[in-house]
Amino acid sequence: GGFVADELTVSINISYINGTRTHEVSAGNLALDAGNLFFDTIQAIGTSAEAIVTGDITSPGYIFMQNLDATNYLTIRTGSGGADVIKMAAGDIAFFKLSGTTPFGIANTAACDLRVCVFKA
């Protein structure tokens, strides 16, 4: 049989509480097309910019990243020599659809382990 659409399900729930100010955001379960391949690894990101690995996936779609470092932050760039677009503090996560360019990562103070999970477009 062929592949079906909506292979990837993402649930997003955010709860903000600060004194008397509260806010919740929920996108529920998002069903996304993600092809038939995925790649999941931990990459050591050093203090020199380096490409985020995507394994054998030549047309990456969605990417999940988590900074596994307990102290240091890293930034994600639009490409080699590109602008910083995401700052990931220790423990931070990010999930987005890639635009076709390979993102690059660079650690600020010391190397950080970055969990990278990529799904084919």
Side-chain angles (χ1 to χ4, degrees), residues 90-110:
D92 275 358
I93 60 171
F95 178 82
F96 53 93
K97 187 168 187 174
L98 291 165
S99 66
T101 60
T102 300
F104 274 59
I106 185 168
N108 178 264
T109 304

Side-chain angles (χ1 to χ4, degrees), residues 2 7 54 62 65:
E7 303 86 354
T54 59
Y62 290 94
M65 295 182 289

Side-chain angles (χ1 to χ4, degrees), residues 11-70:
S11 298
I12 299 173
N13 297 300
I14 300 170
S15 178
Y16 171 83
I17 301 171
N18 185 343
T20 59
R21 294 180 182 194
T22 64
H23 189 71
E24 292 189 15
V25 177
S26 177
N29 291 327
L30 303 173
L32 307 170
D33 291 339
N36 62 345
L37 292 175
F38 68 90
F39 175 74
D40 194 355
T41 192
I42 296 174
Q43 180 178 353
I45 302 294
T47 55
S48 295
E50 59 188 270
I52 303 296
V53 297
T54 59
D56 290 336
I57 300 178
T58 55
S59 56
Y62 290 94
I63 187 168
F64 167 83
M65 295 182 289
Q66 182 177 17
N67 180 359
L68 300 176
D69 197 88

Side-chain angles (χ1 to χ4, degrees), residues 65-90:
M65 295 182 289
Q66 182 177 17
N67 180 359
L68 300 176
D69 197 88
T71 307
N72 299 298
Y73 77 87
L74 59 92
T75 55
I76 305 301
R77 295 181 171 179
T78 56
S80 176
D84 291 346
V85 291
I86 299 172
K87 180 178 179 180
M88 299 185 71

